Amino acid sequence: NAGVTQTPKFQVLKTGQSMTLQCAQDMNHNSMYWYRQDPGMGLRLIYYSASEGTTDKGEVPNGYNVSRLNKREFSLRLESAAPSQTSVYFCASSELPTGVTEAFFGQGTRLTVV
Amino acid sequence: GENVEQHPSTLSVQEGDSAVIKCTYSDSASNYFPWYKQELGKRPQLIIDIRSNVGEKKDQRIAVTLNKTAKHFSLHITETQPEDSAVYFCAASKGSGGSNYKLTFGKGTLLTVNP
């Protein structure tokens, strides 16, 4: 049972380039989330999907888009990367909304924008 | 929206001592308070959580206390061991439908347990 899997684990982008971070979970969870983690800032919610077919903005959505491809997969897209988007990105999933049940995190993607 | 403050930002203790991390929240409607542990280079993992209808919860060497009147909750680790060294995050949520179920995290506490 893999849990939550993110790809890639590391990525370096040039300013202005685009990329998509992939996330898949095999726990049959309804809710999925994308967070970014910056030093001294904790985990900040970018976008979330309460259930298949729905997505909503979180705390820091600017510069990002998401797609809930199916129940298993939730991708995060950077259309035009900026140095301010250098961060560690975590995907997470939960059976019910994270205010109710445990969130399971992926291993993270370390993104550097130069 | 909800604001979660976490203190201290760093904490260093000797092996065997106790460690306490404190968090305050701003939204009195919040009713779910989890704690996550993140080891260096790893993913955050839930270690304990508490709901607003409970004042204290224990799991072996860790415990969480909640004071809803004062809007603060704390993580207590007793008999600390080197493997407890990690970053600990508190979080708060209203735990209901719609946008209310988003977790708001504190900024984290780096705990170092010295052998």
Side-chain angles (χ1 to χ4, degrees):
Chain A
N1 206 358
V4 180
T5 303
Q6 291 179 233
T7 55
K9 291 185 179 180
F10 302 94
Q11 184 71 48
V12 178
L13 288 179
K14 293 182 179 179
T15 298
Q17 286 186 318
S18 62
M19 77 161 296
T20 300
L21 281 65
Q22 306 286 353
C23 176
Q25 51 91 9
D26 62 3
M27 295 176 283
N28 201 36
H29 285 170
N30 290 306
S31 301
M32 297 186 74
Y33 310 83
W34 277 104
Y35 291 90
R36 62 177 288 174
Q37 183 176 29
D38 303 292
M41 296 299 291
L43 291 153
R44 293 183 292 171
L45 183 64
I46 305 171
Y47 269 93
Y48 62 97
S49 173
S51 60
E52 186 178 356
T54 68
T55 60
D56 286 286
K57 296 178 180 179
E59 183 183 353
V60 287
N62 290 344
Y64 306 96
N65 285 299
V66 291
S67 295
R68 184 73 183 267
L69 304 172
N70 48 55
K71 191 171 185 179
R72 291 187 63 249
E73 299 173 287
F74 188 39
S75 63
L76 178 72
R77 183 161 178 83
L78 286 71
E79 291 290 352
S80 179
S84 61
Q85 294 178 304
T86 293
S87 186
V88 179
Y89 292 85
F90 285 99
C91 176
S93 72
S94 61
E95 181 177 356
L96 295 173
T98 52
V100 180
T101 57
E102 177 180 359
F104 292 84
F105 287 82
Q107 76 273 34
T109 296
R110 185 172 294 275
L111 175 67
T112 302
V113 183
V114 298
Chain B
E2 175 67 279
N3 183 49
V4 177
E5 298 282 344
Q6 183 172 348
H7 299 280
S9 56
T10 61
L11 179 60
S12 181
V13 300
Q14 290 298 122
E15 183 176 358
D17 288 349
S18 295
V20 180
I21 302 170
K22 300 181 179 181
C23 290
T24 60
Y25 60 98
S26 60
D27 192 335
S28 57
S30 289
N31 56 15
Y32 175 64
F33 308 94
W35 287 87
Y36 283 80
K37 175 184 179 182
Q38 185 180 27
E39 296 176 356
L40 185 63
K42 302 290 183 64
R43 70 193 76 191
Q45 292 187 296
L46 181 73
I47 56 171
I48 195 167
D49 58 12
I50 192 168
R51 302 187 187 278
S52 59
N53 58 346
V54 176
E56 183 176 4
K57 185 177 179 180
K58 290 183 179 179
D59 184 2
Q60 299 183 333
R61 295 185 299 106
I62 62 174
V64 58
T65 58
L66 172 65
N67 184 328
K68 287 217 72 178
T69 302
K71 291 190 285 187
H72 67 70
F73 56 112
S74 300
L75 178 71
H76 304 252
I77 306 174
T78 59
E79 301 173 16
T80 54
Q81 302 168 3
E83 51 264 39
D84 294 329
S85 295
V87 177
Y88 292 81
F89 293 98
C90 63
S93 170
K94 296 178 186 178
S96 58
S99 62
N100 291 337
Y101 60 71
K102 290 180 291 185
L103 277 176
T104 299
F105 285 87
K107 294 183 177 180
T109 296
L110 174 62
L111 173 64
T112 303
V113 180
N114 301 300

